[in-house]
Amino acid sequence: MQLGLVGLGRMGGFMAKRLLHHGHTVIGMARHDSTVQGALQEGAITQGTTSLADLVAQLDAPRAIWLMVPAASVDATLADLVPLLAQDDVVIDGGNSYYHDDIRRAAELKQKGIHYLDVGTSGGVWGLDRGYCLMIGGETEVVGRLSSIFEALAPGVDATSRTPGREKVGGTAEKGYLYCGPTGAGHFVKMVHNGIEYGIMAAYAEGLNVLHHANIGKDQQQVDAETAPLSNPQYYQYDLNLADVAEVWRRGSVIGSWLLDLTASALLKDPALSQFEGRVSDSGEGRWTIHASIDEGVPAYVLAAALYERFASRGEADFANKLMSAMRLEFGGHLEKVEEGS
């Protein structure tokens, strides 16, 4: 099948290459010619261009064009792309757009006879080999039309052990792609997926941090009015190798996961994580998940805490912390304690 792909970055480029490996034709488009030429040299795309008009011209009608661009760039890309399209063409947004935007965009494109699918795509830079988990929203007929594309990108049934009884159920979920419902449903499911991802990452990070400080009893304990004493230092005498802990957890543990696999790899490469400052970004999905939980009246304690942890990592709690120090000084004359070496 023929597919136009706008965006040849980390995920887009690997997705194109995976599609080629499965016999599809991919016409790639990127803003910079160096990106296009690199993709051509690597065999990631069949043909390439820096022009949306050229991309559209090289595709047979009805066209299918997959956008793999940042959520903030989708509307601008559509503004340039849609006037070039014809009735019955399909636009697929495979990024991390807000599902509210999907509903608006689909309605706008429908007036022009153009179809719109939202496809939440998970797999990161490993998707070329592992495949991509796809969560799809839009018109069922259009999803069916593009099923061979989804089949090629998805991991397939053999990617993991089969859920007992699943063979009696049927469907595409065990292949790694799922039609979730009408417009926005794909990105809604992907949104919550990323909210859960925040929570899992925070749980691993917090737990391993407790282990990281398990030797605190060996340190000289400070005795002053501003420091809560460590009551039983004899209980905290452990120098733990976190790379080894993560590795053993990978094997037979109930908390094993691909994220733990990646954590073990990171700790083995750099046990002190010296190349990182601990500033953790959020690209929107965690916030939108919390918004949805509030609208639905559904508690999401862990996911909310994980999101706020990311805010704090970027210094957004600094003013609040300073204010608490100021209040302690005002009501009790407590001087802010300065750490040694600062």
Side-chain angles (χ1 to χ4, degrees):
M1 186 174 179
Q2 193 184 54
L3 181 73
L5 181 61
V6 178
L8 299 173
R10 287 174 297 179
M11 284 187 67
F14 285 152
M15 289 170 63
K17 189 175 291 188
R18 186 172 175 89
L19 287 168
L20 255 67
H21 287 172
H22 284 78
H24 295 284
T25 298
V26 180
I27 314 299
M29 183 266 168
R31 290 179 300 168
H32 303 294
D33 186 61
S34 58
T35 303
V36 174
Q37 295 305 316
L40 285 167
Q41 291 171 11
E42 292 175 8
I45 56 178
T46 310
Q47 300 174 64
T49 179
T50 58
S51 164
L52 285 173
D54 288 345
L55 174 73
V56 172
Q58 294 181 61
L59 294 168
D60 300 328
R63 305 169 186 86
I65 299 178
W66 190 302
L67 307 184
M68 210 64 198
V69 300
S73 301
V74 173
D75 280 329
T77 303
L78 288 175
D80 293 334
L81 175 62
V82 170
L84 304 171
L85 300 180
Q87 188 166 333
D88 208 30
D89 287 347
V90 182
V91 175
I92 307 115
D93 181 0
N96 281 325
S97 289
Y98 191 26
Y99 76 100
H100 289 193
D101 292 330
D102 292 321
I103 295 171
R104 168 179 56 80
R105 291 167 184 155
E108 293 170 353
L109 268 60
K110 185 176 182 179
Q111 296 176 8
K112 303 177 186 298
I114 300 170
H115 307 287
Y116 178 95
L117 297 182
D118 51 284
V119 180
T121 306
S122 181
V125 297
W126 298 89
L128 173 59
D129 298 321
R130 291 171 54 95
Y132 299 90
C133 175
L134 304 174
M135 296 144 271
I136 308 165
E139 303 164 77
T140 54
E141 181 274 326
V142 180
V143 174
R145 185 195 306 181
L146 298 175
S147 61
S148 64
I149 294 292
F150 302 136
E151 290 264 2
L153 289 171
V157 174
D158 295 333
T160 188
S161 57
R162 205 166 195 180
T163 302
R166 171 53 73 169
E167 70 279 0
K168 301 176 183 177
V169 176
T172 65
E174 65 173 349
K175 296 180 180 180
Y177 72 95
L178 177 68
Y179 173 67
C180 299
T183 299
H187 277 150
F188 188 89
V189 174
K190 178 57 161 51
M191 173 188 79
V192 178
H193 163 285
N194 283 23
I196 293 170
E197 179 184 295
Y198 285 20
I200 295 173
M201 291 172 69
Y204 282 135
E206 291 178 11
L208 286 164
N209 197 29
V210 172
L211 298 181
H212 179 65
H213 290 87
N215 62 357
I216 191 173
K218 295 183 176 183
D219 296 340
Q220 180 65 42
Q221 301 300 306
Q222 298 186 38
V223 180
D224 58 57
E226 302 301 318
T227 304
L230 180 63
S231 302
N232 298 288
Q234 69 273 21
Y235 296 154
Y236 301 97
Q237 300 285 323
Y238 308 120
D239 294 306
L240 299 171
N241 183 316
L242 298 190
D244 284 351
V245 171
E247 186 64 33
V248 77
W249 282 352
R250 292 181 60 220
R251 304 175 185 280
S253 165
V254 296
I255 62 169
S257 73
W258 184 44
L259 274 174
L260 182 59
D261 296 345
L262 298 176
T263 301
S265 176
L267 288 169
L268 183 62
K269 294 173 186 174
D270 181 8
L273 304 177
S274 56
Q275 64 178 304
F276 302 101
E277 295 182 2
R279 182 182 174 88
V280 186
S281 299
D282 76 287
S283 54
E285 299 87 354
R287 303 183 189 209
W288 304 334
T289 301
I290 303 309
H291 291 167
S293 75
I294 293 170
D295 287 344
E296 296 173 1
V298 174
Y301 312 108
V302 173
L303 308 191
L307 175 64
Y308 293 150
E309 174 69 25
R310 294 192 176 205
F311 295 166
S313 78
R314 305 197 297 267
E316 300 303 333
D318 288 357
F319 183 79
N321 293 335
K322 290 178 181 180
L323 192 54
M324 285 191 285
S325 286
M327 287 187 282
R328 293 187 79 245
L329 178 62
E330 291 293 326
F331 71 67
H334 301 285
L335 296 176
E336 189 172 62
K337 185 174 180 179
V338 178
E339 296 293 334
E340 294 181 8
S342 62

